[in-house]
Amino acid sequence: MYWEKEQETLEVDLLRKQQLEYIKKIVKRVGKSEYYGKIFKNLGGFSINNWEDFKSLPFTEKQDLRDSFPYGLLVTDLTDVIRLHSSSGTTGNPTVIFHTKNDIADWTNFCARSMYMTGVRKNDVFQNMMGYGLFTGGLGFHYGAEKVGMLTIPSGPGNSKRQLWFMKKFQTSVIHILPNYALRLCSFFEPLNIDPYTDLNLRIAFLGAEPHSEVIRKKIEEIYGLRAFNSYGLSEIYGPGIAFECEEQNGMHIWEDYLYPEIIDPVTGELVPEGEEGELVLTTLRREAMPIIRYRTRDLTRFIPGPCPCGRTHRRIDRIKGRTDDMLIINGVNLFPIQVERAVMECPAVGENYLIEVKTINHMDKLFVHVEVNREAFSGTLSELKKIEKDLTNRLRSEVEVTPEVILVEGGSLPVSEGKAKRVIDNREKG
Ligand code: AMP
Ligand code: ZN
């Protein structure tokens, strides 16, 4: 059941003690980097004796990583670095993350721990449909799966026919996949004459890298006949595997022997009371090449209070609501794309995809929600379609408190992207 029982179930007091010891060491080491060196100098030197000291340290932001490109946060010699990952960097410098051999070994270990926790074992066949390369989704789990000892198929994303061929031929039992791709891939079952329940041997899916609601999880579980586990990560802090659901499927355990998590009010920067929603902040406890202190992830979540029945003592975070910068403000009302997803996907006539569009009409913001409906619903009469439209408008209105215009479209007609789903088009007039 446990990959490393002692660490996973360590008493909370001992875990905190261990974390503080790691923090003392890491704070000593980060001063060697140009970026933290400067910060500590401005503070007139710095050392950590207790949690209060730690909490007085400034946050590190994505912009700091960009400004320090390429080596400003590097602590070790470049000769000790064996891997580089990078985020997309659509504007300005990308963020670049360096790893030593031990960093990769640590990441591999908690990816293996995460997978093992859900019940996968060495006799499983693992198909990794996440992107390999600079994006961390593919490689992190690849190494973890090999450490568990599974037969690992590095299929990467896309080429759906080949994905299903591999699944069938090699009786893949575990998949790692973007939720939006999992929803799209099933449209190939019918043309390829595949019954997922009899032709495939799937039992577990890891879903991650993008926000997805509980409704989507249920839908994927039902379509494929498996159990789906939520997996969270970001490239600045290793990548996937840093927080993962156990068999209870009730929030994601953050591996606290590798990370120290905090949740803050994104506006004031103050810690929020236990159980309240805020922005996740992470400190790497062991990273050698590029330790990061109090990194603002911009991801909104909360700690789930109380112990988990699985016996693990590492705190759990709730499903990610979205990023602080994903929030739309529509005529003064705050809205997250996942709220729209929750409302539309619960309607039985809805298919696999939706798209949010915001426009300016008569100087006001107007929300449009394009929704793919399933084939049966789409071939219905005009009045049946109007009924679905009305039902969706009501569901949305009660979830997001904005009255949208719902546009029903045929399944498969909305644009799709190879990687993470693009859910929002903001066509509002600027200024
Ligand atoms: P990247 O660094 O490109 O891998 O992107 C990381 C970001 O993807 C995170 O900061 C989150 O915003 C998002 N993300 C990753 N995993 C999840 C998840 N399980 N649920 C929701 N969002 C996620
Ligand atoms: Zn648990």
Side-chain angles (χ1 to χ4, degrees):
M1 178 189 184
Y2 300 109
W3 179 252
E4 291 154 304
K5 183 166 188 220
E6 201 183 323
Q7 273 308 313
E8 289 172 54
T9 60
L10 195 64
E11 249 177 72
V12 174
D13 287 355
L14 293 176
L15 192 53
R16 293 286 166 271
K17 235 179 169 165
Q18 192 189 68
Q19 288 174 317
L20 192 60
E21 289 312 308
Y22 276 130
I23 284 173
K24 284 180 189 168
K25 280 191 208 147
I26 215 108
V27 166
K28 265 191 203 145
R29 289 189 62 245
V30 290
K32 288 187 202 151
S33 72
E34 197 185 314
Y35 174 74
Y36 286 111
K38 225 183 266 169
I39 288 182
F40 291 167
K41 201 171 153 203
N42 289 341
L43 292 171
F46 204 84
S47 70
I48 300 267
N49 292 312
N50 51 45
W51 285 109
E52 287 315 303
D53 293 341
F54 172 71
K55 283 167 189 167
S56 69
L57 280 172
F59 297 116
T60 306
E61 307 217 26
K62 188 155 186 136
Q63 193 55 41
D64 301 322
L65 266 60
R66 285 204 179 105
D67 295 344
S68 311
F69 177 86
Y71 301 123
L73 275 99
L74 188 64
V75 164
T76 52
D77 282 347
L78 203 53
T79 48
D80 292 325
V81 170
I82 63 159
R83 173 100 65 84
L84 170 158
H85 279 284
S86 172
S87 71
S88 50
T90 39
T91 51
N93 286 336
T95 52
V96 182
I97 311 295
F98 300 104
H99 301 274
T100 64
K101 210 171 186 174
N102 286 337
D103 294 336
I104 297 293
D106 284 348
W107 184 17
T108 299
N109 187 52
F110 60 72
C111 279
R113 187 197 276 176
S114 295
M115 290 192 241
Y116 195 86
M117 172 166 74
T118 66
V120 307
R121 295 295 180 263
K122 74 186 291 294
N123 55 348
D124 275 302
V125 177
F126 176 62
Q127 195 162 323
N128 193 4
M129 292 184 262
M130 287 285 186
Y132 281 73
L134 288 173
F135 173 57
T136 51
L139 281 168
F141 267 41
H142 182 96
Y143 277 53
E146 287 185 346
K147 185 155 182 161
V148 171
M150 291 189 276
L151 166 58
T152 303
I153 306 174
S155 59
N159 204 341
S160 303
K161 281 186 193 161
R162 194 181 54 179
Q163 298 285 7
L164 290 169
W165 183 85
F166 268 111
M167 273 184 206
K168 198 170 161 178
K169 277 281 174 241
F170 295 96
Q171 289 293 286
T172 300
S173 52
V174 182
I175 53 174
H176 182 205
I177 188 167
L178 280 164
N180 87 77
Y181 186 44
L183 286 176
R184 230 161 355 106
L185 185 61
C186 62
S187 62
F188 287 82
F189 288 163
E190 208 180 292
L192 296 176
N193 209 5
I194 286 178
D195 176 342
Y197 280 71
T198 55
D199 296 329
L200 305 181
N201 189 33
L202 297 173
R203 64 185 199 93
I204 286 175
F206 306 131
L207 304 178
E210 64 184 5
H212 56 291
S213 57
E214 191 63 39
V215 198
I216 292 288
R217 183 230 293 266
K218 292 259 161 61
K219 211 167 169 145
I220 293 170
E221 288 191 329
E222 234 162 70
I223 293 171
Y224 289 86
L226 46 68
R227 290 189 81 197
F229 295 88
N230 196 357
S231 152
Y232 169 75
L234 65 164
S235 47
E236 298 91 311
I237 310 287
Y238 298 98
I242 63 173
F244 220 84
E245 274 183 332
C246 65
E247 283 193 285
E248 304 289 331
Q249 292 180 308
N250 58 0
M252 299 176 278
H253 289 283
I254 288 211
W255 297 126
E256 293 206 68
D257 48 343
Y258 291 95
L259 300 164
Y260 183 72
E262 299 168 272
I263 295 192
I264 62 163
D265 179 323
V267 179
T268 64
E270 295 294 320
L271 291 175
V272 299
E274 172 95 3
E276 275 184 26
E277 188 183 276
E279 177 181 346
L280 180 66
V281 170
L282 294 170
T283 297
T284 64
L285 298 177
R286 301 199 201 178
R287 215 154 61 175
E288 291 182 339
M290 201 168 149
I292 304 187
I293 295 194
R294 308 195 84 196
Y295 185 67
R296 289 188 65 155
T297 64
R298 301 192 191 171
D299 290 321
L300 294 169
T301 182
R302 65 181 189 109
F303 285 128
I304 297 177
C308 183
C310 77
R312 290 177 183 84
T313 48
H314 302 231
R315 275 173 288 181
R316 288 166 297 153
I317 52 167
D318 209 344
R319 194 169 277 284
I320 306 288
K321 182 177 178 186
R323 296 172 65 81
T324 44
D325 33 12
D326 283 342
M327 189 176 81
L328 287 163
I329 303 176
I330 298 182
N331 299 324
V333 177
N334 299 346
L335 180 153
F336 282 92
I338 204 160
Q339 293 174 279
V340 171
E341 176 175 303
R342 256 199 319 254
V344 298
M345 285 298 177
E346 260 179 357
C347 169
V350 168
E352 271 77 51
N353 207 354
Y354 67 94
L355 182 70
I356 299 164
E357 188 183 7
V358 199
K359 289 193 213 172
T360 309
I361 292 180
N362 296 332
H363 310 292
M364 296 286 283
D365 300 335
K366 179 79 191 163
L367 174 69
F368 294 85
V369 183
H370 305 259
V371 185
E372 285 186 4
V373 287
N374 58 38
R375 198 184 307 155
E376 196 192 333
F378 198 74
S379 54
T381 63
L382 203 61
S383 79
E384 280 165 344
L385 285 171
K386 282 267 165 247
K387 232 170 152 180
I388 298 172
E389 219 173 79
K390 198 166 168 207
D391 175 34
L392 283 169
T393 308
N394 289 338
R395 285 172 190 266
L396 280 162
R397 202 187 288 131
S398 62
E399 174 77 42
V400 302
E401 291 165 25
V402 173
T403 305
E405 186 167 325
V406 172
I407 301 159
L408 301 183
V409 297
E410 194 176 359
S413 64
L414 289 175
V416 290
S417 45
E418 172 110 311
K420 304 187 188 207
K422 194 170 174 344
R423 300 291 190 199
V424 180
I425 304 180
D426 196 338
N427 282 328
R428 278 179 284 194
E429 291 163 13
K430 303 276 174 312

